[in-house]
Amino acid sequence: MKVLVIGLGGVTNGGKTTLAKRLRKQLPNCSILAQDDFFKPESEVEVDEHGFKQYDVLDALYMEEMVTSIRSWMKNPTGSSVSTTESKSTPVNLKSTEEVHILIVEGFLLYNYEPLNEVWDRRYFLTIPYEECKRRRSTRVYQPADGPGYFDGHVWPMYLKHKTEMEENTNNIVYLDGTKSEEDLFSYVYNDIMRELEAWKK
């Protein structure tokens, strides 16, 4: 049995969750783990000098627990608590991949945490421009809600900071344009993963 761990990172509201769910429906034995499920409670999240809750940093997350969950899945994908949905349809050329299990890890801060760097088989990173990101973010409801100036004062600056760090320290990341259609993004990543699976079979 082989396991494939795929990172689907990127900017807030870049389309990570939507893409991950589409991939899960079409890929064999595919599970999703969401970084958002590892946020610390609000009372444990620090506040900066401007009064902004520091959610967009590694310290706001239980990262060790996240690594443990991923490694637990890698050892025993069928017995893991990570959510799994059976593929709606398995392509004919994938009938022999029942022994392959795929985990898609989606989140906004995947490639800046050193202990995670050795688990990835493929790494994707969704980007969208500032204006589009701000527009999409304004249509979402968060708990706790974004306060006035939160996007410009915390969310976007932290995204730029972590993206720069990632680019300086990490290789082999496939950048995806989040302004493209859902269909285009899905098609590109799905075909890329299929090529990876086919290479394994040879």
Side-chain angles (χ1 to χ4, degrees), residues 2-191:
K2 294 180 178 177
V3 296
L4 187 71
V5 181
I6 297 164
L8 189 54
V11 66
T12 177
N13 292 279
K16 301 179 295 295
T17 304
T18 300
L19 178 55
K21 288 179 177 178
R22 286 200 64 179
L23 289 166
R24 181 172 65 176
K25 288 181 179 179
Q26 297 299 324
L27 291 168
N29 308 318
C30 186
S31 305
I32 295 176
L33 184 143
Q35 188 174 36
D36 283 359
D37 291 340
F38 295 88
F39 270 115
K40 294 176 180 177
E42 185 179 359
S43 60
E44 294 183 32
V45 177
E46 293 186 9
V47 178
D48 72 2
E49 67 272 18
H50 304 293
F52 293 133
K53 281 278 188 179
Q54 299 293 286
Y55 273 107
D56 289 51
V57 298
L58 288 170
D59 283 345
L61 297 147
Y62 292 119
M63 291 302 296
E64 289 182 12
E65 287 186 17
M66 183 175 168
V67 173
T68 299
S69 294
I70 294 170
R71 293 203 173 280
S72 173
W73 178 92
M74 291 171 72
K75 289 177 182 174
N76 183 18
T78 57
S80 167
S81 60
V82 176
S83 73
T84 306
T85 297
E86 292 302 316
S87 303
K88 295 292 185 292
S89 59
T90 302
V92 174
N93 64 337
L94 273 184
K95 294 299 183 185
S96 62
T97 62
E98 271 117 18
E99 74 281 5
V100 175
H101 289 264
I102 300 170
L103 178 64
I104 297 173
V105 182
E106 64 100 347
F108 69 103
L109 202 50
L110 298 183
Y111 310 130
N112 298 71
Y113 189 63
E114 186 64 33
L116 276 179
N117 285 343
E118 58 198 54
V119 307
W120 310 117
D121 292 293
R122 303 290 287 166
R123 287 187 258 214
Y124 302 97
F125 191 90
L126 281 152
T127 65
I128 52 176
Y130 164 83
E131 291 292 349
E132 176 63 10
C133 186
K134 190 172 184 177
R135 184 193 68 77
R136 291 186 190 182
R137 179 95 179 190
S138 69
T139 67
R140 295 273 296 277
V141 177
Y142 289 89
Q143 197 61 38
D146 285 357
Y150 189 69
F151 181 84
D152 287 314
H154 175 64
V155 176
W156 191 254
M158 286 299 102
Y159 162 68
L160 294 179
K161 175 179 180 287
H162 291 124
K163 183 170 179 285
T164 298
E165 290 175 359
M166 177 189 75
E167 290 167 344
E168 290 174 351
N169 300 308
T170 311
N171 299 316
N172 303 319
I173 293 176
V174 178
Y175 290 89
L176 305 171
D177 180 356
T179 63
K180 289 188 175 180
S181 70
E182 289 180 14
E183 190 59 43
D184 284 349
L185 289 167
F186 165 77
S187 178
Y188 178 86
V189 176
Y190 175 79
N191 288 324

